[in-house]
Amino acid sequence: MTYIAKPKFHHPGLKPNELGYTRRDYEGKISTLCAGCGHDSITASIIEACYELSIEPHRVAKISGIGCSSKTPDYFLGNSHGFNSVHGRMPSVLTGANLANRDLIYLGVSGDGDSASIGFGQFAHSIRRGVNMTYIVENNGVYGLTKGQFSATADRGSKSKKGVTNTDNAIDLVAIALQLGATFVARSFSGDKTQLVPLIAAAIRHKGASFIDVISPCIAFNNHAGSTKSFDYVREHNDAVNRLDVLVGRDPIAVDYAPGTVQVVEQHDGSKIALRKIDADYDPHDRLGAQTFLARHAARGQIVTGLLYVDPEAEDLHEHLNTVETPLNTLEADTLCPGSAVLDKINASLR
């Protein structure tokens, strides 16, 4: 329970990262979610990714909305900044915070109800504007807090726990993110930590709008025969397009890959993503090809996971708006409000 504090002591055998932090230093409060919830597995993957990247927790701002998914930021990075917004409004709050202080690392955590229903417009505009963030949707296809109604991402033809069949078409957030111009797009499964941890790490290192859709089964309401978001269904229908590790330029990581099977993608900030291709025809740099690939495999009932698209030369919202390098929240009043003469000059230039 969240009111029960975790013990402060660390086992002496825990391995520290470059900063001297152990994995325990990236944890938060004790989870109140159902035992076995896929969201807790995503939390563990975020903790692992931040530990491996040696991120200082106080440099991270975690923003969420409303729902089971939006409770999870309480369970990781307890020493970071956090803001739990209203239902569906996480992207707007994150955008405002990012504009005010560009020096923080922004993690937006949301759910399929929070982003694909009431927050759908918020999601769309944050992606198309290229906000520098890692946007994670914990997608279980169901409203867990209100007892199991279908969400907007529930696949047509899937069945609820009570046996009701969903007759509505599903919103594919990955396809929407590709269409709206996200420069890092991936999908994963909460039960595949080997794939999910490097995807999160790569998304954090990417400069621009990074989006990860994580299928996260709800064990209370959507983990049964007939569900397309259950553990069994995803494991049986998972089609991984690639396998990746993150190589940070200043701290090379030794990897054991067969010769001729690695493709290195250099990021805008100098970091690298190494991809081991499973499908020889798949190109993660082709946005249109990724959309076609998704649609083709969805028609077969397959769930495509892995890094689906990346733009190594991406720009973010600050570059689009040509803002100053100094975070806006540190500028003095005379800089932010230089006076009427400067305003008159700006107005004159626009006539």
Side-chain angles (χ1 to χ4, degrees):
M1 305 299 291
T2 53
Y3 60 83
I4 302 177
K6 287 186 178 180
K8 297 293 185 183
F9 64 85
H10 291 180
H11 190 281
L14 290 178
K15 182 181 177 181
N17 59 16
E18 286 183 355
L19 299 176
Y21 294 140
T22 68
R23 288 173 178 80
R24 287 295 312 278
D25 294 307
Y26 294 92
E27 294 178 357
K29 296 179 181 178
I30 296 175
S31 174
T32 61
L33 298 175
C34 302
C37 177
H39 293 2
D40 283 334
S41 297
I42 299 173
T43 291
S45 294
I46 293 173
I47 290 170
E48 182 71 17
C50 292
Y51 165 79
E52 291 182 359
L53 290 177
S54 293
I55 291 174
E56 296 170 302
H58 67 269
R59 291 193 58 238
V60 176
K62 50 187 183 180
I63 318 291
S64 64
I66 295 294
C68 292
S69 59
S70 295
K71 295 170 63 179
T72 59
D74 208 24
Y75 312 142
F76 62 84
L77 294 174
N79 293 319
S80 65
H81 306 280
F83 192 94
N84 184 225
S85 70
V86 297
H87 203 3
R89 288 346 185 225
M90 177 276 287
S92 292
V93 175
L94 188 151
T95 300
N98 181 279
L99 283 171
N101 188 356
R102 64 191 298 167
D103 285 348
L104 294 179
I105 297 169
Y106 289 92
L107 293 178
V109 180
S110 185
D112 42 301
D114 198 51
S115 282
S117 290
I118 190 170
F120 192 43
Q122 304 277 314
F123 158 76
H125 290 298
S126 68
I127 294 294
R128 77 180 184 87
R129 287 169 178 151
V131 180
N132 189 14
M133 62 180 173
T134 298
Y135 193 132
I136 298 174
V137 168
E138 300 179 341
N139 186 354
N140 55 24
V142 73
Y143 288 101
L145 287 183
T146 53
K147 310 308 179 189
Q149 303 94 327
F150 291 117
S151 81
T153 65
D155 294 306
R156 185 172 185 174
S158 62
K159 293 184 178 181
S160 70
K161 188 176 182 179
K162 295 181 178 180
V164 177
T165 300
N166 180 33
T167 58
D168 295 334
N169 290 319
I171 291 176
D172 187 341
L173 290 173
V174 165
I176 298 295
L178 282 167
Q179 183 180 11
L180 293 172
T183 51
F184 182 106
V185 181
R187 176 180 280 139
S188 192
F189 174 49
S190 63
D192 189 354
K193 192 175 180 181
T194 300
Q195 182 191 66
L196 183 55
V197 170
L199 279 176
I200 294 173
I204 291 173
R205 295 289 297 173
H206 180 75
K207 184 177 182 179
S210 299
F211 177 73
I212 307 177
D213 178 41
V214 187
I215 306 300
S216 180
C218 174
I219 61 167
F221 298 109
N222 211 14
N223 191 38
H224 51 269
S227 168
T228 58
K229 297 289 192 294
S230 67
F231 282 106
D232 289 342
Y233 186 91
V234 176
R235 289 191 178 113
E236 292 172 4
H237 296 81
N238 187 359
D239 183 15
V241 297
N242 43 45
R243 180 177 174 181
L244 73 155
D245 282 301
V246 177
L247 304 176
V248 181
R250 70 178 189 279
D251 184 21
I253 300 174
V255 292
D256 185 17
Y257 288 130
T261 62
V262 175
Q263 178 185 5
V264 177
V265 180
E266 184 161 353
Q267 297 290 285
H268 191 271
D269 60 2
S271 64
K272 298 179 180 179
I273 300 174
L275 300 171
R276 184 167 67 183
K277 289 295 191 72
I278 291 177
D279 188 337
D281 297 329
Y282 190 80
D283 180 8
H285 306 105
D286 182 356
R287 186 186 298 274
L288 181 59
Q291 293 173 307
T292 303
F293 188 86
L294 277 172
R296 184 168 65 247
H297 284 262
R300 300 172 183 170
Q302 296 176 333
I303 299 172
V304 177
T305 64
L307 180 60
L308 303 174
Y309 176 76
V310 62
D311 179 1
E313 301 297 331
E315 295 182 345
D316 72 342
L317 181 61
H318 285 278
E319 289 175 289
H320 298 161
L321 298 180
N322 195 29
T323 61
V324 295
E325 292 290 336
T326 306
L328 301 183
N329 66 337
T330 64
L331 296 177
E332 299 294 334
D334 58 347
T335 303
L336 291 171
C337 302
S340 59
V342 175
L343 180 59
D344 290 341
K345 185 178 179 179
I346 293 173
N347 287 336
S349 70
L350 298 174
R351 291 191 177 95

